[in-house]
Structure formats: C-alpha cells, structure tokens
Amino acid sequence: MNQVGNLLLLPGDGIGPEVMGEVRKVVGWLGDRQGLKFECEEDLAGGCALDAHGVPMTEDTVKLAKDADAVVFGAVGVAKHDANPFHLKPEQGLLRLRKELDLFANLRPAMVFPALAEASTLKTELVEGLDILILRELTGGVYFGEPRGIETLADGTERGVDTQVYTTPEIERLASVGFELARKRRNHVTSVEKANVMHTGVLWRRTVTALHKKGYEDVELAHMYADNCAMQLIRRPKQFDVIVTDNLFGDLLSDAAAMLTGSLGMLPSASLGAPDAIGKRKALYEPVHGSAPDIAGEGKANPLAMLLSFAMMLRYSFDLGAEADRLEKAIATVLDKGIRTADIMQDGKTLVSTEAMGKAVVAELDRSLS
Ligand code: NAD
C-alpha cells in the first residue's frame, strides 16, 4: 500500500457532511483498489464548531489544517448563527483558514459536461465543451484592505469605507500561478482589472506584463477590463482559457462563469498557497456551493462538486493526474448514463439520492479498471 498523504476533512454544516460522505467512498476505493492510502483526520468547522466550542474554528483545527497535506472542506452556514457578530459567523471559520494557510490563489474551473450542456441558460453551442479556469486572488484586495469600516459623521450621517490595495509581490505570485496553469492547458492567460479607472488596475497590468516578459513569454497574454470580461463571458465564453484577476472581480466573474455550467452542484474549487522549500503548497479543496439548508438532511444534495474538488486535490496536491482524470471520467460517464440528482434532473433521466450518486461514481471507477 502506497501512503500518499494526510488529509484533514472538514465537512461543516448542512449538506457538507452529506457530500463529504461520498468523498470517503472514493478515498476508500483508492485505498482498496489502487493501493493509494490517504490518512484522514476529521474535525468541526463553521456552525457545528460554534455549537461545540463557541468559535467557528478552534486553534487545534487550524493546527491540524497546517499539518495536513491538503484540507478537504464541505460547506458552512447555519441560519441560527446569521445574527451573530461578524467574528462569530460560521463563514469566519473558512475565512480564517484561508488567511492562516495564506491561500492566495483560488482556482475556479467552469466546465460543461456534454450531458449537461442543455442545462445552461446559454445556447448549447456557446457552452458545449466549455473548459475555462478563473484564477482569483483570495487574500488581498478590497475585502481586506485598510482602512475599512463604517463611521458616523458630525451631521449624523454615516460613511462606509473599503480599500482596494495590492502590492507587486501579491500580483506576481498570483500571475505566476496563472501562467504555470496555462502551460498545462491551452497556454493562454487573460489578465483582468480596471486599469482605466483604478490605480491598483494600472499596477496590476504593469506587473503582469513585466512578469510575462521575464519568464512566461511562451504563454499568450491578453489584458481585459473587468466589465468587458463580464460581457465576454456571457457572449463568447469559449474564447478564454485561464482568467487571472483580483479578489473582488474574481468573486463576481467566477459566479457568472459558474452559471454557464447550469448548476451550483457541479462546481469545484481549489485554493493554493505559496510553495514551501520542497515545492509543496498548502491547499484547500471545496465545492463552490454553500450549506444549502433548504435541502439539508434530505439526501438531495449533488455530491459531484465535492467529488470534482477532490479530483482537483489528486491533481494539484498529489500529482495524481491519471487518478484525477479517472474520477472526472467516471463522473462524466455517470452523467452520460442519465443518472441525476434533483438539481440537474432532466426529462427522461433517472433521479437518484446523494448516496446513490456517490455509489454510481464508485461503480464507474470499478468499471474503469476492468
Ligand atoms: P447555497 O449554495 O447553500 O444554496 C443555494 C441554492 O443552491 C439552494 O437552493 C441550494 O439547495 C442549492 N444547492 C447548493 N448546493 C447544492 C448541491 N450540492 N446540490 C443541490 N443543490 C444545491 O447558498 P445560500 O443558500 O446562499 O447559502 C446557504 C448557507 O451557506 C448560508 O449560511 C451561506 O452563508 C453559506 N455559504 C457557505 C459557503 C461555503 O461554505 N463556502 C458558500 C456559500 C454560502
């Protein structure tokens, strides 16, 4: 048996534990059938951590995450904690982890499986075969810049302030991940900002251009303003390969790109940190969706976003590209066979539960070996 690495599983709240259950099946399959053994620890995050410990993430959990080779995260969020002060909201657990592990590069692929092309709100020919990757800066920019806050002015009105701030190293480290990912794909990067109206945009464009000249001239580079990029994503999404952008624009553009694929239940993501001395990056893999309280506990959740996130983990944290391909292919085959959870259900297809979907994927994995 080949010991591959240590995982920290953080199922979280709502449908998080349900979709994580299907990851465990694949972990078990890799150990039993491929001799690839992952050591898994599990802990609380989000609302369940608040209930048990009074905080959305304990120091011990942060330490476990730092020691793990990769963190696999479900989803957090429980309505009863919505009124909590900011630092005691379930989502703070996830934000803390991103900050503590310095996960600055957020990878959000938008892929349209052939069997689901019709589920998109765009015309089939616009999205069929779509495979783009949005790389979003995750630890800087306007969500963290100082000063920030709301103050009361002398006349009794209020003033809200957020600050968009980026440094050259922050831009360089993200753009270099973008160029490197593009080399493994279709070799094209679109760098997105608003250099026409924002100083951070001017610095962003200048820095990406200089980095490109310095070490990545083999990769094709284009620049685009964020508002135009939003239009182009809807107009002709297949023109893109890798989009590299900041925290705020990445948040918006990746959600727009997500909808090209038809369902939140199909969208994986990865967040990577800087490489250490031996080239290993801290990493967290999670579906894009939240805890879906409206369907939690009903066996209706689509586990494929979670499983596709796990496939990204195999590829980016453990260099198991062939196993990642095998898992993605198993998922595509299950969809081709018409097996569907409720969120991606179409006429004439077979409606299954979360668990049955996981089982069907594992059955396809088995078939791939015969
Ligand atoms: P959501 O993603 O949880 O749900 C939006 C809609 O999509 C719901 O109708 C839900 O049923 C459906 N959906 C989501 N994932 C699905 C899946 N795998 N299969 C089938 N249907 C799915 O977003 P929301 O309703 O805005 O937020 C609910 C809670 O989740 C909130 O507390 C929010 O703060 C939290 N949230 C957490 C994360 C995270 O953990 N990363 C992300 C987004 C929202």
mmCIF file of all heavy atoms in Angstrom, residues 15 19 73-79 82 90-91 94 98 263-266 286-295 300-305 341-343, ligand 1:
data_model
loop_
_atom_site.group_PDB
_atom_site.id
_atom_site.type_symbol
_atom_site.label_atom_id
_atom_site.label_comp_id
_atom_site.label_asym_id
_atom_site.label_seq_id
_atom_site.Cartn_x
_atom_site.Cartn_y
_atom_site.Cartn_z
ATOM 1 N N ILE A 15 -25.534 20.458 4.073
ATOM 2 C CA ILE A 15 -25.240 19.323 3.188
ATOM 3 C C ILE A 15 -23.748 18.969 3.186
ATOM 4 O O ILE A 15 -23.358 17.981 2.552
ATOM 5 C CB ILE A 15 -25.711 19.578 1.736
ATOM 6 C CG1 ILE A 15 -24.968 20.782 1.118
ATOM 7 C CG2 ILE A 15 -27.220 19.752 1.662
ATOM 8 C CD1 ILE A 15 -25.177 20.907 -0.394
ATOM 9 N N VAL A 19 -22.219 15.478 1.470
ATOM 10 C CA VAL A 19 -21.369 15.346 0.287
ATOM 11 C C VAL A 19 -19.984 14.814 0.669
ATOM 12 O O VAL A 19 -19.349 14.096 -0.108
ATOM 13 C CB VAL A 19 -21.269 16.670 -0.529
ATOM 14 C CG1 VAL A 19 -22.622 17.013 -1.123
ATOM 15 C CG2 VAL A 19 -20.728 17.833 0.282
ATOM 16 N N PHE A 73 -12.830 20.497 2.307
ATOM 17 C CA PHE A 73 -13.823 21.275 3.049
ATOM 18 C C PHE A 73 -15.203 21.089 2.424
ATOM 19 O O PHE A 73 -15.339 21.151 1.202
ATOM 20 C CB PHE A 73 -13.396 22.750 2.964
ATOM 21 C CG PHE A 73 -14.041 23.647 3.974
ATOM 22 C CD1 PHE A 73 -13.422 23.929 5.176
ATOM 23 C CD2 PHE A 73 -15.270 24.229 3.711
ATOM 24 C CE1 PHE A 73 -14.013 24.764 6.116
ATOM 25 C CE2 PHE A 73 -15.871 25.065 4.643
ATOM 26 C CZ PHE A 73 -15.235 25.336 5.848
ATOM 27 N N GLY A 74 -16.220 20.875 3.264
ATOM 28 C CA GLY A 74 -17.587 20.727 2.743
ATOM 29 C C GLY A 74 -18.219 22.085 2.522
ATOM 30 O O GLY A 74 -17.978 22.751 1.518
ATOM 31 N N ALA A 75 -19.004 22.550 3.480
ATOM 32 C CA ALA A 75 -19.625 23.882 3.397
ATOM 33 C C ALA A 75 -20.019 24.290 4.805
ATOM 34 O O ALA A 75 -20.252 23.428 5.658
ATOM 35 C CB ALA A 75 -20.865 23.830 2.507
ATOM 36 N N VAL A 76 -20.085 25.600 5.046
ATOM 37 C CA VAL A 76 -20.518 26.074 6.366
ATOM 38 C C VAL A 76 -21.656 27.072 6.230
ATOM 39 O O VAL A 76 -21.830 27.689 5.176
ATOM 40 C CB VAL A 76 -19.358 26.724 7.156
ATOM 41 C CG1 VAL A 76 -18.336 25.690 7.577
ATOM 42 C CG2 VAL A 76 -18.714 27.844 6.360
ATOM 43 N N GLY A 77 -22.407 27.223 7.319
ATOM 44 C CA GLY A 77 -23.519 28.184 7.330
ATOM 45 C C GLY A 77 -24.764 27.568 7.921
ATOM 46 O O GLY A 77 -25.223 26.539 7.448
ATOM 47 N N VAL A 78 -25.261 28.190 9.009
ATOM 48 C CA VAL A 78 -26.489 27.744 9.653
ATOM 49 C C VAL A 78 -27.289 29.003 9.991
ATOM 50 O O VAL A 78 -26.749 29.942 10.574
ATOM 51 C CB VAL A 78 -26.199 26.993 10.976
ATOM 52 C CG1 VAL A 78 -27.468 26.325 11.496
ATOM 53 C CG2 VAL A 78 -25.099 25.971 10.797
ATOM 54 N N ALA A 79 -28.565 29.004 9.643
ATOM 55 C CA ALA A 79 -29.389 30.218 9.807
ATOM 56 C C ALA A 79 -29.367 30.754 11.234
ATOM 57 O O ALA A 79 -29.334 31.959 11.451
ATOM 58 C CB ALA A 79 -30.815 29.928 9.370
ATOM 59 N N ASP A 82 -26.927 33.428 11.910
ATOM 60 C CA ASP A 82 -26.884 34.583 10.996
ATOM 61 C C ASP A 82 -26.771 35.920 11.724
ATOM 62 O O ASP A 82 -26.147 36.851 11.234
ATOM 63 C CB ASP A 82 -28.148 34.617 10.104
ATOM 64 C CG ASP A 82 -27.992 33.709 8.895
ATOM 65 O OD1 ASP A 82 -26.887 33.154 8.717
ATOM 66 O OD2 ASP A 82 -28.973 33.545 8.150
ATOM 67 N N PRO A 90 -20.442 31.508 11.076
ATOM 68 C CA PRO A 90 -19.811 30.258 10.638
ATOM 69 C C PRO A 90 -18.767 30.462 9.530
ATOM 70 O O PRO A 90 -17.714 29.836 9.527
ATOM 71 C CB PRO A 90 -20.999 29.439 10.107
ATOM 72 C CG PRO A 90 -22.181 29.967 10.840
ATOM 73 C CD PRO A 90 -21.915 31.413 11.097
ATOM 74 N N GLU A 91 -19.054 31.392 8.581
ATOM 75 C CA GLU A 91 -18.166 31.607 7.430
ATOM 76 C C GLU A 91 -16.786 32.113 7.850
ATOM 77 O O GLU A 91 -15.813 31.976 7.118
ATOM 78 C CB GLU A 91 -18.793 32.606 6.453
ATOM 79 C CG GLU A 91 -20.024 32.090 5.726
ATOM 80 C CD GLU A 91 -21.282 32.031 6.590
ATOM 81 O OE1 GLU A 91 -21.255 32.533 7.732
ATOM 82 O OE2 GLU A 91 -22.281 31.453 6.123
ATOM 83 N N LEU A 94 -13.992 29.548 7.714
ATOM 84 C CA LEU A 94 -13.370 29.339 6.407
ATOM 85 C C LEU A 94 -12.418 30.490 6.065
ATOM 86 O O LEU A 94 -11.293 30.270 5.603
ATOM 87 C CB LEU A 94 -14.480 29.233 5.349
ATOM 88 C CG LEU A 94 -14.049 29.024 3.910
ATOM 89 C CD1 LEU A 94 -13.197 27.773 3.767
ATOM 90 C CD2 LEU A 94 -15.281 28.905 3.005
ATOM 91 N N ARG A 98 -8.350 30.313 5.286
ATOM 92 C CA ARG A 98 -7.719 30.858 4.073
ATOM 93 C C ARG A 98 -6.572 31.779 4.452
ATOM 94 O O ARG A 98 -5.515 31.782 3.830
ATOM 95 C CB ARG A 98 -8.745 31.638 3.252
ATOM 96 C CG ARG A 98 -9.728 30.757 2.518
ATOM 97 C CD ARG A 98 -10.734 31.631 1.791
ATOM 98 N NE ARG A 98 -11.735 30.838 1.097
ATOM 99 C CZ ARG A 98 -12.890 31.338 0.669
ATOM 100 N NH1 ARG A 98 -13.194 32.596 0.878
ATOM 101 N NH2 ARG A 98 -13.745 30.572 0.037
ATOM 102 N N SER A 263 -25.394 24.423 -12.978
ATOM 103 C CA SER A 263 -25.753 24.116 -11.583
ATOM 104 C C SER A 263 -24.620 24.320 -10.606
ATOM 105 O O SER A 263 -23.480 23.946 -10.861
ATOM 106 C CB SER A 263 -26.205 22.673 -11.460
ATOM 107 O OG SER A 263 -26.326 22.356 -10.087
ATOM 108 N N LEU A 264 -24.998 24.881 -9.473
ATOM 109 C CA LEU A 264 -24.067 25.077 -8.366
ATOM 110 C C LEU A 264 -23.536 23.736 -7.856
ATOM 111 O O LEU A 264 -22.421 23.657 -7.346
ATOM 112 C CB LEU A 264 -24.864 25.773 -7.251
ATOM 113 C CG LEU A 264 -24.196 26.732 -6.303
ATOM 114 C CD1 LEU A 264 -23.282 27.692 -7.019
ATOM 115 C CD2 LEU A 264 -25.255 27.503 -5.527
ATOM 116 N N GLY A 265 -24.314 22.710 -8.016
ATOM 117 C CA GLY A 265 -23.920 21.381 -7.516
ATOM 118 C C GLY A 265 -22.824 20.719 -8.322
ATOM 119 O O GLY A 265 -22.407 19.600 -8.013
ATOM 120 N N MET A 266 -22.358 21.396 -9.390
ATOM 121 C CA MET A 266 -21.333 20.803 -10.264
ATOM 122 C C MET A 266 -20.003 21.558 -10.204
ATOM 123 O O MET A 266 -19.109 21.267 -10.983
ATOM 124 C CB MET A 266 -21.817 20.838 -11.724
ATOM 125 C CG MET A 266 -23.003 19.982 -12.035
ATOM 126 S SD MET A 266 -22.708 18.227 -11.753
ATOM 127 C CE MET A 266 -21.317 17.915 -12.824
ATOM 128 N N GLU A 286 -12.716 22.635 -2.018
ATOM 129 C CA GLU A 286 -14.112 22.748 -1.543
ATOM 130 C C GLU A 286 -15.045 22.991 -2.720
ATOM 131 O O GLU A 286 -14.659 23.617 -3.710
ATOM 132 C CB GLU A 286 -14.247 23.905 -0.555
ATOM 133 C CG GLU A 286 -13.812 25.220 -1.153
ATOM 134 C CD GLU A 286 -14.059 26.435 -0.285
ATOM 135 O OE1 GLU A 286 -15.032 26.439 0.482
ATOM 136 O OE2 GLU A 286 -13.284 27.392 -0.409
ATOM 137 N N PRO A 287 -16.277 22.521 -2.599
ATOM 138 C CA PRO A 287 -17.252 22.880 -3.634
ATOM 139 C C PRO A 287 -17.571 24.364 -3.510
ATOM 140 O O PRO A 287 -17.394 24.950 -2.443
ATOM 141 C CB PRO A 287 -18.465 22.028 -3.280
ATOM 142 C CG PRO A 287 -18.330 21.722 -1.825
ATOM 143 C CD PRO A 287 -16.857 21.690 -1.532
ATOM 144 N N VAL A 288 -18.052 24.962 -4.606
ATOM 145 C CA VAL A 288 -18.387 26.387 -4.579
ATOM 146 C C VAL A 288 -19.658 26.643 -3.768
ATOM 147 O O VAL A 288 -19.808 27.682 -3.143
ATOM 148 C CB VAL A 288 -18.545 26.897 -6.039
ATOM 149 C CG1 VAL A 288 -19.170 28.277 -6.075
ATOM 150 C CG2 VAL A 288 -17.183 26.902 -6.726
ATOM 151 N N HIS A 289 -20.543 25.657 -3.753
ATOM 152 C CA HIS A 289 -21.833 25.886 -3.102
ATOM 153 C C HIS A 289 -21.711 25.998 -1.581
ATOM 154 O O HIS A 289 -20.686 25.630 -0.991
ATOM 155 C CB HIS A 289 -22.819 24.770 -3.455
ATOM 156 C CG HIS A 289 -22.406 23.399 -2.999
ATOM 157 N ND1 HIS A 289 -22.448 23.007 -1.693
ATOM 158 C CD2 HIS A 289 -21.950 22.315 -3.696
ATOM 159 C CE1 HIS A 289 -22.046 21.743 -1.596
ATOM 160 N NE2 HIS A 289 -21.726 21.302 -2.803
ATOM 161 N N GLY A 290 -22.784 26.500 -0.956
ATOM 162 C CA GLY A 290 -22.835 26.616 0.496
ATOM 163 C C GLY A 290 -23.506 25.406 1.134
ATOM 164 O O GLY A 290 -23.555 24.323 0.535
ATOM 165 N N SER A 291 -24.033 25.624 2.343
ATOM 166 C CA SER A 291 -24.549 24.504 3.134
ATOM 167 C C SER A 291 -25.971 24.101 2.739
ATOM 168 O O SER A 291 -26.513 23.138 3.274
ATOM 169 C CB SER A 291 -24.506 24.873 4.613
ATOM 170 O OG SER A 291 -25.259 26.064 4.822
ATOM 171 N N ALA A 292 -26.577 24.837 1.807
ATOM 172 C CA ALA A 292 -27.912 24.516 1.260
ATOM 173 C C ALA A 292 -28.897 24.059 2.329
ATOM 174 O O ALA A 292 -29.413 22.935 2.269
ATOM 175 C CB ALA A 292 -27.786 23.459 0.149
ATOM 176 N N PRO A 293 -29.202 24.903 3.304
ATOM 177 C CA PRO A 293 -30.098 24.475 4.397
ATOM 178 C C PRO A 293 -31.470 24.034 3.899
ATOM 179 O O PRO A 293 -32.131 23.222 4.556
ATOM 180 C CB PRO A 293 -30.203 25.725 5.287
ATOM 181 C CG PRO A 293 -29.601 26.853 4.538
ATOM 182 C CD PRO A 293 -28.708 26.292 3.487
ATOM 183 N N ASP A 294 -31.892 24.543 2.721
ATOM 184 C CA ASP A 294 -33.227 24.179 2.210
ATOM 185 C C ASP A 294 -33.349 22.705 1.848
ATOM 186 O O ASP A 294 -34.461 22.178 1.779
ATOM 187 C CB ASP A 294 -33.604 25.073 1.004
ATOM 188 C CG ASP A 294 -32.556 25.077 -0.096
ATOM 189 O OD1 ASP A 294 -31.357 24.888 0.214
ATOM 190 O OD2 ASP A 294 -32.922 25.262 -1.269
ATOM 191 N N ILE A 295 -32.224 22.023 1.601
ATOM 192 C CA ILE A 295 -32.320 20.601 1.239
ATOM 193 C C ILE A 295 -31.502 19.708 2.188
ATOM 194 O O ILE A 295 -31.437 18.496 1.980
ATOM 195 C CB ILE A 295 -31.856 20.349 -0.220
ATOM 196 C CG1 ILE A 295 -30.422 20.861 -0.438
ATOM 197 C CG2 ILE A 295 -32.827 20.964 -1.218
ATOM 198 C CD1 ILE A 295 -29.795 20.321 -1.725
ATOM 199 N N LYS A 300 -30.768 14.965 -0.936
ATOM 200 C CA LYS A 300 -30.976 15.524 -2.280
ATOM 201 C C LYS A 300 -29.720 16.200 -2.835
ATOM 202 O O LYS A 300 -29.682 16.600 -3.991
ATOM 203 C CB LYS A 300 -32.081 16.579 -2.230
ATOM 204 C CG LYS A 300 -33.473 16.018 -2.058
ATOM 205 C CD LYS A 300 -34.478 17.163 -2.127
ATOM 206 C CE LYS A 300 -35.889 16.677 -1.890
ATOM 207 N NZ LYS A 300 -36.795 17.786 -1.565
ATOM 208 N N ALA A 301 -28.722 16.412 -1.978
ATOM 209 C CA ALA A 301 -27.553 17.200 -2.412
ATOM 210 C C ALA A 301 -26.783 16.491 -3.517
ATOM 211 O O ALA A 301 -26.619 15.264 -3.499
ATOM 212 C CB ALA A 301 -26.635 17.435 -1.218
ATOM 213 N N ASN A 302 -26.324 17.276 -4.459
ATOM 214 C CA ASN A 302 -25.475 16.748 -5.523
ATOM 215 C C ASN A 302 -24.033 16.689 -4.994
ATOM 216 O O ASN A 302 -23.454 17.721 -4.668
ATOM 217 C CB ASN A 302 -25.561 17.704 -6.724
ATOM 218 C CG ASN A 302 -24.766 17.212 -7.920
ATOM 219 O OD1 ASN A 302 -23.969 16.286 -7.801
ATOM 220 N ND2 ASN A 302 -24.981 17.841 -9.064
ATOM 221 N N PRO A 303 -23.444 15.503 -4.915
ATOM 222 C CA PRO A 303 -22.084 15.407 -4.363
ATOM 223 C C PRO A 303 -20.989 15.628 -5.409
ATOM 224 O O PRO A 303 -19.804 15.542 -5.090
ATOM 225 C CB PRO A 303 -22.038 13.956 -3.859
ATOM 226 C CG PRO A 303 -22.912 13.206 -4.825
ATOM 227 C CD PRO A 303 -24.005 14.171 -5.253
ATOM 228 N N LEU A 304 -21.375 15.923 -6.677
ATOM 229 C CA LEU A 304 -20.358 15.945 -7.733
ATOM 230 C C LEU A 304 -19.396 17.130 -7.619
ATOM 231 O O LEU A 304 -18.210 17.001 -7.917
ATOM 232 C CB LEU A 304 -21.015 15.897 -9.120
ATOM 233 C CG LEU A 304 -21.797 14.605 -9.394
ATOM 234 C CD1 LEU A 304 -22.378 14.610 -10.808
ATOM 235 C CD2 LEU A 304 -20.932 13.350 -9.190
ATOM 236 N N ALA A 305 -19.883 18.298 -7.150
ATOM 237 C CA ALA A 305 -18.960 19.431 -6.964
ATOM 238 C C ALA A 305 -17.879 19.053 -5.946
ATOM 239 O O ALA A 305 -16.704 19.380 -6.111
ATOM 240 C CB ALA A 305 -19.724 20.663 -6.491
ATOM 241 N N THR A 341 -28.968 13.877 -9.778
ATOM 242 C CA THR A 341 -29.600 14.371 -8.550
ATOM 243 C C THR A 341 -30.619 15.434 -8.973
ATOM 244 O O THR A 341 -30.618 15.882 -10.126
ATOM 245 C CB THR A 341 -28.544 14.975 -7.601
ATOM 246 O OG1 THR A 341 -27.655 15.780 -8.362
ATOM 247 C CG2 THR A 341 -27.783 13.897 -6.844
ATOM 248 N N ALA A 342 -31.449 15.880 -8.010
ATOM 249 C CA ALA A 342 -32.589 16.738 -8.367
ATOM 250 C C ALA A 342 -32.170 18.044 -9.044
ATOM 251 O O ALA A 342 -32.850 18.530 -9.947
ATOM 252 C CB ALA A 342 -33.396 17.038 -7.107
ATOM 253 N N ASP A 343 -31.057 18.623 -8.605
ATOM 254 C CA ASP A 343 -30.649 19.929 -9.132
ATOM 255 C C ASP A 343 -30.300 19.898 -10.615
ATOM 256 O O ASP A 343 -30.340 20.932 -11.281
ATOM 257 C CB ASP A 343 -29.453 20.475 -8.330
ATOM 258 C CG ASP A 343 -28.272 19.531 -8.357
ATOM 259 O OD1 ASP A 343 -28.467 18.328 -8.117
ATOM 260 O OD2 ASP A 343 -27.150 19.977 -8.647
HETATM 261 P P1 NAD B 1 -26.131 27.631 -1.186
HETATM 262 O O1 NAD B 1 -25.022 27.386 -2.147
HETATM 263 O O2 NAD B 1 -26.047 26.908 0.098
HETATM 264 O O3 NAD B 1 -27.530 27.268 -1.882
HETATM 265 C C1 NAD B 1 -28.075 27.969 -3.000
HETATM 266 C C2 NAD B 1 -29.105 27.084 -3.715
HETATM 267 O O4 NAD B 1 -28.425 26.043 -4.427
HETATM 268 C C3 NAD B 1 -30.054 26.377 -2.755
HETATM 269 O O5 NAD B 1 -31.327 26.306 -3.352
HETATM 270 C C4 NAD B 1 -29.485 25.002 -2.598
HETATM 271 O O6 NAD B 1 -30.434 24.000 -2.309
HETATM 272 C C5 NAD B 1 -28.835 24.763 -3.961
HETATM 273 N N1 NAD B 1 -27.629 23.918 -3.837
HETATM 274 C C6 NAD B 1 -26.425 24.297 -3.358
HETATM 275 N N2 NAD B 1 -25.575 23.259 -3.381
HETATM 276 C C7 NAD B 1 -26.255 22.221 -3.887
HETATM 277 C C8 NAD B 1 -25.900 20.868 -4.139
HETATM 278 N N3 NAD B 1 -24.680 20.368 -3.891
HETATM 279 N N4 NAD B 1 -26.851 20.054 -4.642
HETATM 280 C C9 NAD B 1 -28.084 20.517 -4.926
HETATM 281 N N5 NAD B 1 -28.466 21.791 -4.714
HETATM 282 C C10 NAD B 1 -27.561 22.632 -4.194
HETATM 283 O O7 NAD B 1 -26.183 29.204 -0.942
HETATM 284 P P2 NAD B 1 -27.107 30.054 0.065
HETATM 285 O O8 NAD B 1 -28.458 29.429 0.157
HETATM 286 O O9 NAD B 1 -26.948 31.433 -0.373
HETATM 287 O O10 NAD B 1 -26.395 29.916 1.477
HETATM 288 C C11 NAD B 1 -26.737 28.944 2.469
HETATM 289 C C12 NAD B 1 -25.699 28.998 3.571
HETATM 290 O O11 NAD B 1 -24.418 28.606 3.056
HETATM 291 C C13 NAD B 1 -25.513 30.408 4.141
HETATM 292 O O12 NAD B 1 -25.308 30.292 5.524
HETATM 293 C C14 NAD B 1 -24.261 30.908 3.446
HETATM 294 O O13 NAD B 1 -23.588 31.874 4.211
HETATM 295 C C15 NAD B 1 -23.460 29.627 3.356
HETATM 296 N N6 NAD B 1 -22.435 29.597 2.267
HETATM 297 C C16 NAD B 1 -21.292 28.938 2.567
HETATM 298 C C17 NAD B 1 -20.326 28.789 1.592
HETATM 299 C C18 NAD B 1 -19.096 27.990 1.924
HETATM 300 O O14 NAD B 1 -19.099 27.252 2.892
HETATM 301 N N7 NAD B 1 -18.045 28.086 1.139
HETATM 302 C C19 NAD B 1 -20.522 29.307 0.315
HETATM 303 C C20 NAD B 1 -21.731 29.971 0.034
HETATM 304 C C21 NAD B 1 -22.688 30.095 1.020
#
